[in-house]
């Protein structure tokens, strides 16, 4: 492997979705910012988000209502201060994004005035979802990346994996520990490069790729969570992984999500015989929180021995469907499904990581200089279940908060002393002649996580999963020590670490709440607490 380059920046942002790019744009006036993307800038989860962004724009809606809906969806485990902060900051964050060029759908009211078209999704008591048809994430991502690419103070590196954070403790320096930068792997040159940065921001998204079936893009491998854990940062609520109820069930449609807005606009769930089942489960029927809907679909599939359930919006006018869901309509049509005339086959899939690296309301972690924003972070906003369309909102709100905090430190404090960082040492490793080991371990990990740590759990399943993940972790760590790195090896190393955190968190929760449902502890405790794990 070639010896890599050295980079010197003020802020390193690992991840290029809504959170990472928002922070970069907010800081670029005062600081030299580097943004690294594992693949292309657009290949994170933001680009594929369909539904929208929640914020109070309707005069009949209130911030208090948004707060209460979020608390209910979070099943008693949200941090009220985080929820209140997010809801209060929502409109300002959306207005900033609109000023940057984001174009959300509008409609004409009775007085002939133009206003934003607000849709409603599961868990919301009002219409408060701003959206760009059914491709909101694409609109947000393209707006932000166009701005970032044009900014002279933002350097964008595509095709780079973050390998590990560099801290003063890891280098054996005396005094308080802080982040000093990171090692990053140039996939094209196959070289590890060193980034000197007094501030590092993790915006790497979630970890749903740890499961066999997921709506997430391939880059969602828990990198930021694993790196922060190895650097000494605690995590929280890792047992709460949201399974989106409705992913398209088709052999040629890997990862294709069917937005919650379909149900918000009247789509209903049906058994193979055409009968509905959600009214029997919850008083909000199809608009129940996602954990309820996902479990109901999973239960019906297992009870009937069916491969899938069906989502039906064909009772709506075809013009309405074409206008509001053009992406979904076209994609389904390509696969031979006309959603204006027939129901859509659906299954649940791992979708969103509600836990993550613990931060405060400034996005700051326990490690000075290190921040985590977006899905990688645990802020307390989501509790035991994320409410629809609060995710892109969290990215924007906490990116802006972290940028304010970094700016106050960067601008108003004396510069940190320069520290020499050692180059990456790969002198004792060789090329692997057993890539099949990675492929086999990858498949085994994701399959047992789906089978044992999925929508419904038991103590025995979790114990089986823990035994397997401990064996895999030791084997992968030895492989990492002996052989040169690759994209698959780096992701597998991170995924097995995140899998262990998910399993240990699930084992610690002796109740069923929100996204964590266990047959051995079906009751809900009266005084819920977040599950916190520390590497100390």
């Amino acid at each position: 492997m070639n010896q890599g380059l050295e980079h010197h920046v003020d802020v390193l942002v690992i991840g290029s979705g809504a959170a990472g790019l928002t922070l970069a744009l907010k800081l670029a006036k005062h600081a030299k910012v580097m943004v690294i993307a594992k693949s292309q800038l657009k290949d994170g989860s933001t680009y594929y988000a369909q539904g929208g962004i929640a914020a109070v724009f309707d005069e009949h809606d209130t911030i208090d209502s948004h707060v209460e809906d979020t608390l209910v969806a979070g099943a008693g485990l949200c941090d009220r201060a985080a929820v209140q902060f997010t809801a209060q900051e929502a409109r300002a964050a959306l207005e900033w994004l609109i000023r940057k060029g984001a174009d959300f759908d509008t409609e004409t009211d009775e007085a002939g005035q133009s206003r934003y078209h607000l849709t409603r999704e599961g868990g919301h008591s009002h219409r408060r979802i701003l959206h760009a048809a059914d491709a909101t994430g694409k609109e947000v991502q393209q707006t932000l990346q166009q701005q970032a690419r044009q900014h002279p103070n933002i350097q964008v590196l595509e095709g780079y994996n973050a390998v590990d954070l560099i801290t003063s403790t890891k280098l054996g320096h005396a005094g308080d520990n802080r982040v000093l930068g990171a090692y990053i792997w140039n996939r094209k040159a196959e070289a590890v490069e060193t980034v000197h940065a007094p501030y590092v921001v993790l915006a790497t998204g979630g970890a749903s790729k740890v499961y066999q079936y997921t709506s997430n893009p391939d880059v969602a491998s828990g990198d930021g969570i694993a790196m922060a854990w190895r650097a000494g940062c605690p995590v929280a609520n890792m047992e709460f992984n949201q399974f989106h109820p409705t992913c398209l069930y088709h052999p040629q449609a890997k990862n294709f999500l069917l937005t919650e807005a379909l149900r918000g606009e009247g789509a209903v769930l049906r058994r193979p015989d055409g009968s509905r089942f959600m009214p029997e489960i919850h008083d909000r029927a199809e608009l129940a929180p996602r954990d309820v809907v996902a479990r109901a679909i999973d239960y019906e599939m297992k009870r009937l021995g069916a491969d899938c359930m069906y989502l039906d919006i064909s009772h709506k006018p075809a013009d309405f469907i074409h206008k509001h869901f053009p992406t979904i309509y076209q994609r389904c049509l390509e696969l031979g499904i006309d959603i204006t005339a027939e129901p859509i086959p659906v299954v649940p899939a791992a979708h969103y990581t509600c836990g993550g690296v613990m931060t405060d309301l400034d996005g700051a972690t326990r490690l000075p200089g290190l921040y985590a924003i977006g899905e990688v972070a645990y802020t307390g906003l989501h509790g035991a279940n994320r409410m629809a369309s609060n995710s892109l909102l969290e990215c924007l709100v906490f990116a802006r908060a972290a940028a304010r905090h970094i700016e106050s430190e960067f601008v108003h404090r004396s510069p940190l002393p320069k520290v020499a960082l050692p180059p990456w040492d790969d002198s004792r490793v060789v090329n692997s002649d057993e890539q099949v080991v990675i492929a086999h371990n990858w498949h085994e990990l994701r399959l047992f996580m789906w089978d044992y740590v999925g929508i419904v759990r038991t103590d025995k399943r979790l114990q089986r999963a823990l035994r397997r993940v401990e064996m895999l972790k030791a084997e992968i760590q030895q492989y990492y020590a002996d052989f040169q790195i690759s994209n698959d090896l780096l992701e597998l190393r991170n995924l097995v670490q995140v899998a262990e955190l998910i399993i240990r968190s699930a084992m610690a929760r002796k109740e069923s709440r929100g996204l964590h449902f266990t047959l051995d502890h079906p009751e809900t405790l009266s005084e819920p607490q977040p599950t916190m794990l520390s590497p100390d």
Side-chain angles (χ1 to χ4, degrees), residues 130-391:
L130 275 76
H131 62 100
D134 59 350
T136 306
K138 181 178 180 180
E139 176 66 22
V140 172
Q141 182 69 26
Q142 290 181 337
T143 299
L144 293 173
Q145 68 185 34
Q146 180 181 18
Q147 295 276 331
R149 287 190 187 279
Q150 294 173 349
H151 203 291
N153 268 4
I154 298 176
Q155 179 184 8
V156 174
L157 296 182
E158 295 175 295
Y160 277 76
N161 291 60
V163 179
D164 255 328
L165 300 170
I166 305 171
T167 68
S168 48
T169 294
K170 285 184 180 180
L171 299 184
H173 294 176
D176 295 337
N177 190 25
R178 71 167 290 118
V179 74
L180 302 172
Y183 292 115
I184 60 175
W185 186 60
N186 183 331
R187 296 167 68 168
K188 184 175 181 180
E190 295 191 339
V192 176
E193 302 174 6
T194 306
V195 182
H196 300 248
Y199 301 96
V200 177
V201 182
L202 300 173
T204 54
S208 287
K209 198 177 175 183
V210 76
Y211 287 100
Q212 183 77 358
Y213 304 106
T214 175
S215 66
N216 284 196
D218 284 343
V219 295
S221 52
D223 303 331
I225 297 170
M227 285 190 295
W229 177 263
R230 290 194 294 265
C233 295
V235 300
N237 281 12
M238 290 297 296
E239 70 271 35
F240 297 113
N241 196 285
Q242 187 176 76
F243 291 82
H244 197 287
T246 53
C247 270
L248 180 60
Y249 178 71
H250 193 283
Q252 297 172 32
K254 178 185 176 186
N255 302 355
F256 190 72
L257 186 71
L258 296 165
T259 173
E260 189 124 1
L262 280 162
R263 284 175 281 137
E265 296 296 342
V268 297
L269 284 160
R270 301 189 187 278
R271 300 181 179 98
D273 66 2
S275 61
R276 290 181 64 188
F277 55 92
M278 281 310 301
E280 305 165 15
I281 304 296
H282 196 278
D283 57 4
R284 286 190 175 182
E286 280 78 11
L287 291 179
R290 286 179 175 176
D291 59 316
V292 176
V293 181
R295 272 201 306 275
I297 294 173
D298 182 67
Y299 175 79
E300 290 295 325
M301 287 170 59
K302 289 175 178 172
R303 184 178 71 86
L304 298 172
D307 292 329
C308 62
M309 292 290 112
Y310 293 87
L311 185 65
D312 189 6
I313 198 170
S314 63
H315 52 280
K316 287 283 191 177
D319 287 347
F320 176 89
I321 295 171
H322 295 155
K323 178 182 178 181
H324 288 279
F325 305 107
T327 307
I328 293 171
Y329 171 76
Q330 187 59 43
R331 180 62 177 136
C332 288
L333 201 62
E334 291 168 1
L335 299 168
I337 304 166
D338 181 357
I339 69 173
T340 66
E342 59 188 314
I344 313 164
V346 295
V347 292
H351 180 59
Y352 193 86
T353 307
C354 287
V357 183
M358 293 181 66
T359 73
D360 60 18
L361 295 185
D362 293 317
T365 72
R366 190 173 73 178
L367 178 63
L370 181 67
Y371 295 75
I373 52 175
E375 191 177 353
V376 68
Y378 165 79
T379 62
L381 170 63
H382 304 305
N385 188 14
R386 176 179 73 92
M387 188 166 69
S389 289
N390 271 350
S391 53

Side-chain angles (χ1 to χ4, degrees), residues 19 72 133 157 176 178-179 225 239 308 314 345 356 365 393 396 429 439 448 465 483 488 507 517-518 524:
V72 170
L157 296 182
D176 295 337
R178 71 167 290 118
V179 74
I225 297 170
E239 70 271 35
C308 62
S314 63
T365 72
L393 175 61
L396 298 172
V429 300
F448 76 64
F483 298 110
D488 286 350
M507 294 178 77
F517 184 80
T518 168
T524 300

Side-chain angles (χ1 to χ4, degrees), residues 54 151 357 478 496 498:
H151 203 291
V357 183
Q478 186 60 52
V496 76
V498 170

